[in-house]
Amino acid sequence: MSHRCGVRQAQKEKTRRALMDAALGLLEDQSLSSLGLREVTRAVGVAPAAFYRHFRDLSDLGVALVEESLGSLHHMIGGILAGQDGDEERIDATVEAVAEHVRRYPAHIRFIARERHGGVRAVREAIAAELDRFADEVANDFCPRLSAEDWSPEDVRMLAELYVDHMVMTATAFLEAQPDHPRLERRVADTARKQLMLISLGRRHWRDG
């Protein structure tokens, strides 16, 4: 009995994975709001009714893609914040980590870039929530140092959001430089480093007016 349950669960997970992969592939050239459920199930080779065993609707699938696309970044960013000393080292590590993530998961990044301001409310809200979590993590890292410099919690949070927004902008720029354009990628990386250094210099001289 347990073996049959295990096989059934494995098949269910395989079908769910196939639906997400098919949707991600179809979303390379269109938005989620224009995607049809039958397009997704046809690409997987299952009946439309089978879709509802895994997702309530396409927006529910979109939220799952958001969690997959951005969830893995939390560990990566946390490692950078904990493992690097000095602004230049952190900036270099951050830019390289974002570039590598785009190289590995271009379809996921394209999905986030398109749907962040797209037409599906649940997905927009899921992306905003994940980016808020990033900002919380960055703010928590900044807080001990900046509080000693008389930064208010509101200003620390503002700075964290600035870094997160820049990370998203940089990821999108790397995506547009893909694929196989190392010169363009280097240009994006150089620009991102300079912009982050400018933010860092502004931070050192910030005084709340």
Side-chain angles (χ1 to χ4, degrees):
M1 179 70 72
S2 61
H3 174 69
R4 287 202 298 272
C5 289
V7 171
R8 194 178 304 119
Q9 183 62 30
Q11 182 58 46
K12 183 177 180 180
E13 291 174 0
K14 182 179 179 181
T15 302
R16 177 185 171 88
R17 177 74 264 161
L19 289 167
M20 291 176 68
D21 287 345
L24 200 58
L26 291 165
L27 289 169
E28 290 273 353
D29 301 310
Q30 62 182 310
S31 66
L32 184 62
S33 60
S34 67
L35 183 65
L37 185 150
R38 289 181 179 275
E39 287 182 80
V40 179
T41 55
R42 189 183 306 119
V44 176
V46 299
F51 179 92
Y52 296 104
R53 301 191 192 110
H54 305 275
F55 304 102
R56 293 188 300 274
D57 50 29
L58 281 173
S59 66
D60 190 35
L61 184 151
V63 170
L65 286 175
V66 171
E67 293 170 352
E68 180 174 82
S69 300
L70 293 176
S72 61
L73 284 173
H74 290 283
H75 178 73
M76 180 187 77
I77 297 301
I80 292 170
L81 293 174
Q84 302 292 334
D85 293 321
D87 287 344
E88 290 190 24
E89 290 81 2
R90 286 189 177 201
I91 286 170
D92 286 344
T94 299
V95 172
E96 179 51 39
V98 172
E100 178 59 24
H101 199 76
V102 174
R103 290 186 206 109
R104 293 180 65 186
Y105 306 108
H108 288 83
I109 301 302
R110 186 173 293 106
F111 168 73
I112 294 298
R114 179 179 288 133
E115 299 300 330
R116 186 183 183 188
H117 304 293
V120 180
R121 180 177 178 178
V123 174
R124 290 199 314 271
E125 291 176 346
I127 294 172
E130 287 290 342
L131 296 180
D132 277 346
R133 286 179 60 201
F134 281 132
D136 286 340
E137 291 165 9
V138 174
N140 288 337
D141 179 77
F142 285 165
C143 201
R145 289 172 288 145
L146 296 181
S147 295
E149 300 173 18
D150 295 325
W151 279 61
S152 69
E154 293 78 15
D155 284 352
V156 173
R157 173 70 186 198
M158 177 185 67
L159 179 64
E161 290 173 356
L162 184 59
Y163 274 99
V164 170
D165 284 343
H166 186 272
M167 183 179 70
V168 174
M169 181 183 71
T170 299
T172 303
F174 276 125
L175 183 65
E176 292 173 354
Q178 297 287 320
D180 302 325
H181 289 88
R183 184 179 301 175
L184 289 177
E185 188 175 274
R186 285 195 298 272
R187 187 182 304 167
V188 170
D190 288 344
T191 299
R193 289 189 186 96
K194 290 175 182 176
Q195 290 169 335
L196 285 171
M197 187 56 69
L198 183 61
I199 293 171
S200 180
L201 288 170
R203 185 203 77 203
R204 295 175 200 171
H205 298 284
W206 172 259
R207 291 294 182 272
D208 188 0

